[in-house]
């Protein structure tokens, strides 16, 4: 009887163990299935995160490319403007250095000739002066008009003020040194006397 009880007990324990193992296998399969699902979800999540990461990197690279292209376009435009300005004002240095020579010629031409020799010398100087002025005009040099014009601090440098009934208020009444422009750039303003 004990043997039968033991057998019965053994059979019950075995059946319970088999059921536990079967349940455990079912649970394991469920866990594996859930793990596979979560793995697929995490893979999808990883792909989505990777796609988003790559998309942001692509946008950043596009922005850098556009900024670089804009910088290059600006550089090219600045270079072109510098070259154009260099061509336009290429004579500026030479003209600036020749202005004192022009002033000296103008002073020399104001001398009164009292004999024939002085007149012929002045005539030769005037011819040289005119040819020099013509050459500089071809480069774009123009004198600034001053006497009788309204005072403009952009073109005139006032060194004196005076009262003259022949001129209105704020009108240039005398010019002490001629001013010049090279194309649209002021090389030297006129030194003037302004009427009050």
């Amino acid at each position: 009887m004990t043997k039968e009880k033991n057998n019965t007990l053994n059979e019950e324990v075995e059946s319970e163990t088999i059921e536990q193992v079967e349940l455990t296998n079912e649970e394991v399969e469920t866990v594996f299935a859930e793990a596979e699902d979560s793995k697929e979800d995490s893979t999808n999540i990883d792909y989505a995160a990777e796609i988003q990461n790559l998309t942001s990197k692509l946008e950043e690279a596009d922005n850098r490319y556009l900024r670089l292209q804009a910088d290059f376009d600006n550089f090219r435009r600045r270079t072109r403007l510098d070259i154009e300005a260099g061509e336009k004002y290429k004579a500026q240095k030479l003209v600036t250095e020749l202005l004192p020579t022009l002033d000296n010629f103008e002073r020399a031409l104001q001398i009164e000739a009292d004999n024939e020799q002085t007149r012929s010398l002045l005539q030769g100087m005037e011819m040289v002066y005119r040819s020099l002025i013509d050459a500089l005009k071809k480069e774009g040099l123009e004198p600034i008009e001053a006497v009788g014009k309204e005072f403009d601090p952009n073109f005139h440098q006032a060194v004196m003020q005076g009262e003259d009934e022949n001129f209105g208020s704020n009108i240039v009444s005398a010019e002490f040194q001629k001013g010049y422009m090279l194309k649209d750039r002021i090389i030297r303003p006129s030194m003037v006397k302004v009427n009050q």
Side-chain angles (χ1 to χ4, degrees):
M1 176 126 183
T2 341
K3 212 175 185 184
E4 281 179 13
K5 261 187 174 179
N6 276 345
N7 279 343
T8 311
L9 264 175
N10 280 341
E11 285 175 9
E12 285 178 14
V13 167
E14 278 181 24
S15 70
E16 281 181 23
T17 304
I18 289 173
E19 283 178 16
Q20 283 179 352
V21 168
E22 285 177 3
L23 282 175
T24 306
N25 283 342
E26 285 176 10
E27 288 175 356
V28 167
E29 287 175 10
T30 305
V31 167
F32 278 131
E34 288 174 359
E36 284 295 319
D37 289 343
S38 70
K39 184 178 176 185
E40 285 177 13
D41 288 344
S42 68
T43 305
N44 288 340
I45 291 170
D46 288 342
Y47 286 144
E50 188 66 24
I51 289 171
Q52 185 177 6
N53 186 24
L54 292 174
T55 304
S56 67
K57 284 182 180 179
L58 180 62
E59 287 174 1
E60 184 180 323
D62 281 346
N63 287 337
R64 269 188 303 181
Y65 170 74
L66 292 174
R67 281 193 302 272
L68 184 64
Q69 186 176 15
D71 287 344
F72 181 70
D73 289 343
N74 289 338
F75 168 75
R76 194 170 31 191
R77 183 178 49 80
R78 278 192 311 269
T79 304
R80 188 186 76 242
L81 291 175
D82 289 346
I83 290 171
E84 288 173 0
E87 286 295 316
K88 187 175 183 180
Y89 302 110
K90 66 184 175 188
Q92 182 173 350
K93 184 176 180 185
L94 177 64
V95 168
T96 304
E97 291 176 4
L98 286 176
L99 288 182
T101 306
L102 290 178
D103 294 338
N104 290 333
F105 263 112
E106 288 171 359
R107 281 188 212 104
L109 291 173
Q110 290 175 356
I111 294 176
E112 292 291 326
D114 55 355
N115 60 30
E116 192 61 38
Q117 190 178 11
T118 308
R119 274 195 280 281
S120 65
L121 180 63
L122 282 176
Q123 205 172 25
M125 284 180 59
E126 190 173 338
M127 289 171 56
V128 172
Y129 174 73
R130 282 191 191 141
S131 64
L132 182 60
I133 289 290
D134 289 342
L136 292 173
K137 280 186 178 182
K138 287 178 184 174
E139 290 297 320
L141 185 71
E142 292 293 326
I144 296 173
E145 297 294 326
V147 178
K149 302 287 182 184
E150 186 173 348
F151 175 75
D152 184 351
N154 296 316
F155 298 103
H156 308 123
Q157 179 181 356
V159 292
M160 278 181 77
Q161 284 189 339
E163 289 187 25
D164 190 344
E165 294 90 32
N166 297 331
F167 296 99
S169 177
N170 204 32
I171 301 295
V172 175
S173 60
E175 181 179 52
F176 300 116
Q177 186 180 43
K178 195 177 276 190
Y180 292 96
M181 290 181 65
L182 181 64
K183 299 188 178 165
D184 58 353
R185 185 180 282 180
I186 296 173
I187 300 296
R188 181 176 76 185
S190 299
M191 282 190 188
V192 296
K193 177 180 180 181
V194 181
N195 201 33
Q196 287 183 340

